[in-house]
Amino acid sequence: QVTVVESGGGSVQAGGSLRLSCAASGFTFTSDCIAWFRQGPGKEREGVASINTNTGTTFYADDSVKGRFTISKDNAKSTAFLQMNSLKPEDTAMYYCLALVGVAGCPGALLGESWSSYARLGVWGQGTQVSVSS
């Protein structure tokens, strides 16, 4: 059984940092893709970043997080991370990890492909709340 558990959320002031963790189990961690999504208050869920757990190739959903957020992985711990620096109030959201087990490709790998198209293809965690105050 595939399980995904996020942790590391919290409340910080603007400009602060947080490191989210996504601990996965029940599948071969190095053969799939892990993606982070977020859903802010009153907003639709949106993609943030993804990583091919085999090659380590990373993808970011848009320029608003590039340069501030970094996705990485630790194969030995079957865990993916999202390092978030220079946080802004607009980063306030519930952050979710999606394990795309047995799915070809990663969100962001193909230009123009919708990140939301992957939402039904994997296993979601319960989410971790990030709140950024101004």
Side-chain angles (χ1 to χ4, degrees):
Q1 180 181 359
V2 176
T3 61
V4 177
V5 179
E6 304 97 331
S7 62
S11 297
V12 297
Q13 291 189 329
S17 298
L18 284 172
R19 189 192 195 204
L20 306 184
S21 297
C22 171
S25 62
F27 65 101
T28 304
F29 186 78
T30 54
S31 63
D32 294 289
C33 178
I34 299 289
W36 285 97
F37 285 73
R38 66 184 180 184
Q39 187 167 16
K43 298 181 181 179
E44 293 186 354
R45 183 172 51 194
E46 63 179 1
V48 177
S50 68
I51 185 166
N52 182 312
T53 57
N54 182 27
T55 65
T57 305
T58 60
F59 307 95
Y60 296 89
D62 59 52
D63 291 343
S64 68
V65 301
K66 286 180 181 178
R68 298 191 300 124
F69 291 9
T70 303
I71 189 171
S72 63
K73 63 185 178 72
D74 183 333
N75 290 345
K77 296 181 179 179
S78 296
T79 299
F81 304 97
L82 186 67
Q83 178 67 43
M84 305 186 296
N85 299 327
S86 302
L87 282 163
K88 305 175 180 180
E90 51 263 44
D91 294 319
T92 294
M94 184 72 81
Y95 283 71
Y96 298 93
C97 183
L98 175 66
L100 292 161
V101 181
V103 176
C106 255
L110 297 178
L111 187 64
E113 184 180 44
S114 168
W115 282 62
S116 62
S117 65
Y118 286 85
R120 296 183 180 180
L121 301 178
V123 176
W124 291 93
Q126 82 290 350
T128 185
Q129 179 67 41
V130 171
S131 298
V132 184
S133 59
S134 58

